[in-house]
């Protein structure tokens, strides 16, 4: 979600609730996807130079931790900025309701009539809602900003969730390197990565209501390209 969504322009609607719920699912799936693609590539990049299992293992773990925290800080900062912007806008609304309740009442009535509510009823609704300052603020925030003043997001939770999501994805191609005595760990890693990519791609397709198989294949293809390039680079540089 970009900050543009919250630009203070008349008529801008952000559909807070739907975006928050969808945002969580999307962030989760894409976090897993990021972790998977990043670490499949990183692991194969190192494996391409055949430096021994312990080096690959270390690189994979470092990739998991570094990537996870990078995702978490990015998520935290963007959510924090969003939240502060929203809270600023809500505060503007709160002050406006206190300072010029008449103008705000008329504004609310006009919003209702624009929505197709009959003028007399819209007027009564607006008068009733404006009587309770709390209810008035909630209604204005919802109608004008598309948010509930008490639900402007939880940056820390979002950060922790994206850290976990990334770590889950990054862990998958690392599994063969962590188990003792796995022969051909590179190929097992490729297999785990491919399987994980298919599951993540399928999930994206399912949530987006697009083809599950098509998205599974697309995700596997993208991961395969990224992994092949880093494998080649690792092979050439490491040789
Ligand atoms: Zn207002």
């Amino acid at each position: 979600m970009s900050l543009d969504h919250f630009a203070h322009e008349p008529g801008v609607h952000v559909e807070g609730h739907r975006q928050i719920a969808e945002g969580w699912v999307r962030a989760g799936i894409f976090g897993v996807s990021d972790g998977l693609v990043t670490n499949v590539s990183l692991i194969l990049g190192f494996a391409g130079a055949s430096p021994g299992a312990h080096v690959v293992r270390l690189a994979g773990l470092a990739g998991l931790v570094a990537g996870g925290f990078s995702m978490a800080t990015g998520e935290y900062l963007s959510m924090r900025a969003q939240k502060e912007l929203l809270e600023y806008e809500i505060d503007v609304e709160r002050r406006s309701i206190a300072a010029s309740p008449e103008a705000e009442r008329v504004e609310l009535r006009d919003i209702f009539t624009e929505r197709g509510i009959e003028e007399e009823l819209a007027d009564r609704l607006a008068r009733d809602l404006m009587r309770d300052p709390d209810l008035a603020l909630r209604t204005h925030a919802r109608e004008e900003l598309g948010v509930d003043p008490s639900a402007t997001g939880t940056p820390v939770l979002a950060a922790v969730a994206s850290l976990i999501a990334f770590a889950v994805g990054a862990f998958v191609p690392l599994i063969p390197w962590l188990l003792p005595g796995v022969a051909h760990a590179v190929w097992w890693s490729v297999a785990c990565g491919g399987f994980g990519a298919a599951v993540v791609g399928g999930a994206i397709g399912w949530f987006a209501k697009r083809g599950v198989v098509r998205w599974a294949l697309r995700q596997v293809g993208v991961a395969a390209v990224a992994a092949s390039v880093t494998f080649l680079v690792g092979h050439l540089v490491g040789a």
Side-chain angles (χ1 to χ4, degrees):
M1 220 177 340
S2 80
L3 292 177
D4 301 349
H5 282 93
F6 303 100
H8 187 51
E9 290 167 30
V12 167
H13 287 275
V14 281
E15 306 295 342
H17 282 303
R18 237 195 60 212
Q19 281 201 356
I20 286 167
E22 269 182 14
W24 276 97
V25 176
R26 195 184 302 132
I29 296 173
F30 283 104
V32 173
S33 169
D34 275 355
L36 194 71
V37 174
T38 300
N39 241 15
V40 168
S41 307
L42 190 66
I43 287 168
L44 288 188
F46 270 79
S50 351
H54 67 288
V55 176
V56 180
R57 192 180 305 129
L58 195 64
L61 282 171
L64 186 153
V65 174
F69 277 99
S70 161
M71 290 281 291
T73 48
E75 188 66 27
Y76 176 79
L77 292 175
S78 80
M79 274 279 257
R80 186 85 236 170
Q82 238 176 55
K83 192 179 168 69
E84 275 174 22
L85 248 158
L86 281 176
E87 275 162 7
Y88 170 78
E89 298 296 347
I90 290 165
D91 210 49
V92 167
E93 202 60 42
R94 183 183 290 119
R95 272 180 279 141
S96 181
I97 289 169
S100 38
E102 268 308 287
E104 287 292 329
R105 183 184 59 74
V106 171
E107 183 193 46
L108 201 56
R109 186 200 63 198
D110 291 348
I111 288 172
F112 290 149
T113 50
E114 257 172 53
R115 298 253 164 111
I117 296 176
E118 188 210 331
E119 203 153 326
E120 203 182 316
L121 181 59
D123 191 59
R124 231 169 57 219
L125 260 170
R127 275 176 206 283
D128 257 17
L129 287 165
M130 289 300 288
R131 238 168 249 145
D132 176 353
D134 239 32
L135 185 60
L137 179 64
R138 280 212 305 278
T139 310
H140 278 266
R142 223 172 271 144
E143 295 298 325
E144 290 169 59
L145 306 167
V147 289
D148 186 329
S150 64
T152 51
T154 42
V156 173
L157 211 62
V160 171
S162 61
L163 178 100
I164 291 170
F166 186 95
V168 167
F171 187 71
V172 171
L174 196 55
I175 294 168
W177 302 93
L178 296 175
L179 298 173
V182 173
H184 311 296
V186 181
W187 292 110
W188 283 111
S189 205
V190 169
C192 285
F195 178 73
V199 171
V200 167
I204 293 173
W206 191 73
F207 276 111
K209 294 189 172 60
R210 300 288 182 269
V212 170
V213 174
R214 185 155 51 96
W215 265 97
L217 291 175
R218 183 174 291 165
Q219 187 80 11
V220 172
V222 169
V225 169
S228 306
V229 170
T230 55
F231 183 83
L232 201 67
V233 171
H235 189 66
L236 293 174
V237 174

